[in-house]
Amino acid sequence: MFFNLLQTELYKIYSKPRSYIGFVALFLIGFYTATILIFLAIVAWGFGILFFGKGDLMILRSEEITILPANDISWRFFAAFGAAFIALTVVSAISFMLSCFSNNSVGPIISTMAIIILFTIIATLDLPSFQTIHPYMFTTHLVAWHMFFENPVPYHEILNSMLILLLHIVGCLGIAAWHFTRKDILV
């Protein structure tokens, strides 16, 4: 009885078009990413108010100190977490793309981390040959969320970073969809 039910459910899943399965996987990736970020936002906001109270925000940088008034913090905080969601979605999209080319689950995770580390190393090398690709590397724009805490907010730079990150997301998901629809998933 149980095996007949299991066989029926598996048939329902595998009888769906591959694009449906890929869409469900993509939706779950976005859901998990958003859930983690919402949890971190609640923890950061809650502990920040608990330990430091409400008031002005002082941001220490190597060359300056920025003080933001208390009524100007909330929107910056949530906008920064929105930008962080887009940045983490890039990482998720790269991992999703690599998982379409792999038959195990550990390889894409390790490969994604290796790509992030490699691109970070390339970005820190101050070689002229890398300066042409540096503005288009996703690791350059992963930390764009911190620009929401500058005064004044550099909206043009943030928009540029978000567009480049969105292009990486679309590119990775496009490659993943192209390969996933042609992949033999019965083996």
Side-chain angles (χ1 to χ4, degrees):
M1 175 87 174
F2 173 73
F3 292 109
N4 289 338
L5 180 64
L6 180 63
Q7 185 178 12
T8 304
E9 291 301 317
L10 287 175
Y11 177 75
K12 286 180 186 176
I13 292 172
Y14 283 113
S15 65
K16 300 281 186 192
R18 289 183 185 198
S19 59
Y20 175 79
I21 296 170
F23 177 75
V24 168
L26 184 62
F27 173 76
L28 288 174
I29 288 171
F31 177 75
Y32 292 147
T33 304
T35 303
I36 290 171
L37 267 175
I38 290 169
F39 171 75
L40 290 175
I42 291 169
V43 168
W45 189 265
F47 282 131
I49 291 174
L50 180 69
F51 291 133
F52 302 113
K54 293 183 178 181
D56 296 345
L57 177 67
M58 183 170 56
I59 302 166
L60 304 173
R61 292 196 170 81
S62 59
E63 62 270 347
E64 66 182 16
I65 295 175
T66 304
I67 299 176
L68 300 174
N71 61 355
D72 199 28
I73 296 172
S74 297
W75 75 268
R76 291 176 187 256
F77 183 80
F78 290 111
F81 270 98
F85 174 75
I86 294 174
L88 289 178
T89 304
V90 172
V91 176
S92 299
I94 291 170
S95 186
F96 183 69
M97 177 190 68
L98 294 175
S99 71
C100 289
F101 290 96
S102 177
N103 289 331
N104 64 24
S105 59
V106 176
I109 296 169
I110 294 172
S111 299
T112 303
M113 292 306 297
I115 289 170
I116 292 170
I117 292 168
L118 177 69
F119 280 21
T120 303
I121 291 171
I122 289 172
T124 57
L125 294 175
D126 199 20
L127 298 174
S129 58
F130 293 138
Q131 294 303 319
T132 55
I133 63 169
H134 181 70
Y136 305 106
M137 293 171 37
F138 71 94
T139 52
T140 304
H141 304 283
L142 287 180
V143 294
W145 61 268
H146 75 83
M147 288 190 271
F148 281 104
F149 296 102
E150 293 179 8
N151 199 14
V153 178
Y155 293 109
H156 181 68
E157 291 178 36
I158 293 171
L159 181 64
N160 184 41
S161 292
M162 295 301 111
L163 287 175
I164 289 173
L165 290 175
L166 288 172
L167 285 173
H168 279 87
I169 292 170
V170 169
C172 289
L173 295 181
I175 292 169
W178 178 80
H179 184 72
F180 186 74
T181 55
R182 288 159 181 75
K183 184 178 181 178
D184 183 15
I185 58 173
L186 300 176
V187 176

